[in-house]
Amino acid sequence: MNWKIWSLKKSPWVFHVNTGACNNCDIEVVNCLTPKFDVERFGVTLVGSPRHADALLVTGVVTAQAAPRLIQAYQQAPKPCVVFSIGACACGTGIFHKGYHVVGPVDKIIREIDPNAIIAYVPGCPPKPEAMISGIVKTLNAL
Amino acid sequence: MEVIRHLFWLLVFPGFLFTVILGLYACWIVRKVTALIHHRIGPPVLQPLYDVLKLLGKETLIPEAANKTVFISAPVVGFASVLLLSILLWAVDFSPANENGMFLGDVIVAIYLMVIPSLALILGSSASGSPHAAIGTAREIKLVTSYELVLVMAFIVVLIKAMTFHGISDAQNDIQLLSLSAITQYQHTPIMSISGFLAFLAALLCVQAKLGFTPFDIPEAETEIAGGVLIEYSGALLALWKMMQAIMLVALPLFLVVLFMGGIGTSFGSIALGTGKYVLVLVLLILIKNTNPRMRIDQAVKFFWFYCGPVMAIAIVLAMLGKFYGKWWL
Ligand code: SF4
């Protein structure tokens, strides 16, 4: 296996992007860092800048205001970079489907600028921390 | 043969390789102890190594607005200077007695080498062309100007103590006055005296600020300015910064051990004891890190100038009185 991918699997640093979530998914994301789940065991760290990130945790339907920011954050992240759509909203606009402010689920926006982006989906409203951890594990194994 | 020996000394043991590995290990200790304080399990031993490897393998982005030369050279300069500092400390520690006075390890040199990482950080972040980094830079400059004087005053206390112990005051020994090896050679421990203890506490806080640990992590404040000084760095350059911070984690506590606790030495027993001293200082730093909230920058400046400064002035007076009356405990 390529050492770059191998070391990436060992230490995925995540950056949290809120693109119009109801804040419930965000709380569950932060929940993963608490003593009960402690994802630092697997080297997952929350970082403050997309430049340091290996994975973007995107929560929420992408609103018209948030779409350019999401694109910017994705372009600023050094590749290889995985995009996680966390929650029903991010996966497929969820309960806000056809809202006047919704410009699309996360994958649509990301695919517009990078058709080959690696996108993973963690559905749920909000998804449990266990679901997120399992999503991360499955994605990293698939790399 | 001589050349190979020197290269080995510089590159493998106790130079580059050894120090980097030790630094990454110290990084792990910091994260593990932090996790234990949170009642978490924490990362595996090799985690810092994985982090650095991964960063080396990632894309390195250079922002359009950045000044490329400075942006790239700043981490290299910072890394080189901490490496030099650690090699100096190892040299002083493992072969302090140098009869022909070829290498004494001047305290002033060490002080300069300790400032360079902060300066490199300031240069690199101000060259990155990001407003968040600009705020971080401004804070870092203020922080450096606030703790540097206190740190130097703490060193002065140690030097006075060294003179007290061994009567190094006559002119022909002037050169020994400022030398680190003279301080380690006699294995004296200023921390056992009142002024030395005060100086140790102040120096510990300064080291805390130099390492960017929590009450003084104002320039990097992840929650307000998103990583501040390092915000635009990615890939291999970020890995260099991380390795620089890892080596500082070895060099700065070691420097405190050399100055205040009599160094590490070369015999088996003293190495075990010295490691114990180093870990003690490290754990003290981690405990301060985990039990304090982040200060505002103005609070930090006030803290160093108005609280630590006068205390250090008192400590210097006490040390001089001790020297004058020949009382080692003052
Ligand atoms: S998926 Fe549910 S919990 Fe998450 S942001 Fe959407 S509505 Fe909120």
Side-chain angles (χ1 to χ4, degrees), chain B residues 89-90 92-96 184-185 187 254 257-258 261-275 277:
Chain B
L89 288 177
W90 292 125
V92 159
D93 227 56
F94 288 145
S95 57
T184 37
Q185 206 169 358
Q187 302 264 313
L254 194 69
V257 170
V258 166
M261 300 175 170
I264 286 185
T266 38
S267 73
F268 184 72
S270 75
I271 285 181
L273 192 66
T275 316
K277 293 175 197 165

Side-chain angles (χ1 to χ4, degrees), chain B residues 92-115:
Chain B
V92 159
D93 227 56
F94 288 145
S95 57
N98 202 329
E99 304 307 316
N100 42 29
M102 255 172 54
F103 186 78
L104 291 166
D106 201 306
V107 175
I108 305 284
V109 176
I111 291 175
Y112 276 121
L113 284 177
M114 280 162 74
V115 185

Side-chain angles (χ1 to χ4, degrees), chain A residues 11 38 40 51 54 79, chain B residues 40 51 54 58-59 232:
Chain A
S11 87
D38 188 22
E40 206 190 359
R51 295 263 192 231
D54 307 306
K79 310 294 170 299
Chain B
R40 291 190 284 119
D51 289 352
K54 177 206 68 183
K58 285 207 77 165
E59 192 183 14
E232 292 292 344

